[in-house]
């Protein structure tokens, strides 16, 4: 068995499943800067809408190197209910009955969900940890049993992570 990533990113595709990732500050404001500092945290929203029912949908957002997914179910500090994006409480959004399973992996955030024509927003928190320049892989969603039923998000510009202690 062989596993890997394509050298060239997949083209955006939304004919069957539309998927979009947006970045937010922990204060709920849009995060447009492509430069981050180690120790910063950001909220990631992945918005999905299927053109047909996808009962066994799988949403995958690969996290850029240099960032780590925070599992808010395990932390003793902040909780998902502490954050809002566009007046949506993250904890409430993540209790949507269409969400069947979620995983906070080292290199990606994964959600199994029942997708349909209604918009589904899923959220996760990332911590910026390692300085460098990193590619931001596009998110994708697919039917677990019909991989031709899929959507691929738009490519994004690289992010740059700096260590604030080393800046003049």
């Amino acid at each position: 068995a062989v596993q890997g990533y394509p050298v060239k990113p997949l083209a955006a595709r939304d004919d069957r499943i539309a998927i979009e990732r947006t970045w937010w500050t922990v204060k709920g404001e849009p995060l447009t800067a492509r430069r981050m500092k180690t120790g910063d945290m950001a909220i990631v929203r992945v918005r999905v809408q299927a053109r047909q029912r996808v009962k066994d949908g799988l949403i995958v957002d690969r996290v850029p190197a240099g960032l780590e997914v925070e599992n808010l179910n395990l932390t003793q500090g902040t909780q998902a209910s502490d954050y809002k994006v566009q007046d949506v409480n993250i904890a409430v959004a993540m209790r949507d009955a269409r969400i069947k399973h979620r995983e906070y992996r080292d290199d990606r955030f994964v959600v199994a969900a029942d997708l349909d024509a209604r918009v589904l927003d899923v959220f996760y928190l990332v911590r910026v940890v390692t300085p460098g320049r990193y590619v931001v892989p596009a998110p994708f969603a697919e039917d677990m049993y019909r991989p031709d039923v899929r959507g691929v998000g738009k490519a994004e510009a690289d992010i740059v992570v700096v260590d604030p202690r080393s800046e003049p």
Side-chain angles (χ1 to χ4, degrees):
V2 176
Q3 183 178 13
Y5 298 109
V7 173
K8 209 165 91 178
L10 296 173
R13 176 180 173 184
D14 66 358
D15 57 322
R16 296 203 172 174
I17 304 172
I19 183 166
E20 172 191 43
R21 174 199 309 118
T22 52
W23 299 75
W24 303 83
T25 68
V26 292
K27 293 180 180 177
E29 299 163 355
L31 181 65
T32 56
R34 303 310 289 179
R35 182 179 171 95
M36 302 173 158
K37 295 179 181 175
T38 56
D40 285 351
M41 294 179 67
I43 299 167
V44 180
R45 178 181 71 191
V46 180
R47 176 168 278 177
V48 183
Q49 184 176 21
R51 310 275 188 245
Q52 66 190 75
R53 174 115 189 266
V54 180
K55 186 175 182 281
D56 299 304
L58 188 67
I59 303 164
V60 180
D61 192 13
R62 295 174 292 167
V63 178
L67 280 67
E68 290 180 352
V69 177
E70 290 282 310
N71 184 342
L72 292 171
N73 294 327
L74 299 178
T75 62
Q76 293 179 358
T78 59
Q79 300 294 314
S81 59
D82 296 338
Y83 301 108
K84 281 187 175 184
V85 169
Q86 294 183 320
D87 291 325
V88 174
N89 183 285
I90 293 174
V92 172
M94 293 303 288
R95 285 194 297 265
D96 189 303
R98 293 174 289 168
I99 297 173
K100 305 301 179 196
H101 179 76
R102 60 183 167 213
E103 291 185 21
Y104 302 88
R105 296 186 183 177
D106 290 339
D107 64 342
R108 67 193 70 198
F109 176 67
V110 180
V111 173
D114 186 350
L115 305 175
D116 54 31
R118 296 173 293 160
V119 170
L120 175 64
D121 287 335
V122 295
F123 296 89
Y124 65 96
L125 190 68
V126 291
R127 181 178 304 276
V128 182
V129 292
T130 308
R133 179 180 202 89
Y134 303 106
V135 171
V136 181
F140 68 92
E142 65 184 11
D143 186 310
M144 286 188 255
Y145 301 105
R146 298 176 295 164
D148 59 308
V149 177
R150 65 180 358 226
V152 179
K154 293 180 182 172
E156 293 184 33
D158 293 357
I159 59 168
V160 175
V161 175
V162 295
D163 185 343
R165 297 173 297 182
S166 64
E167 290 188 315

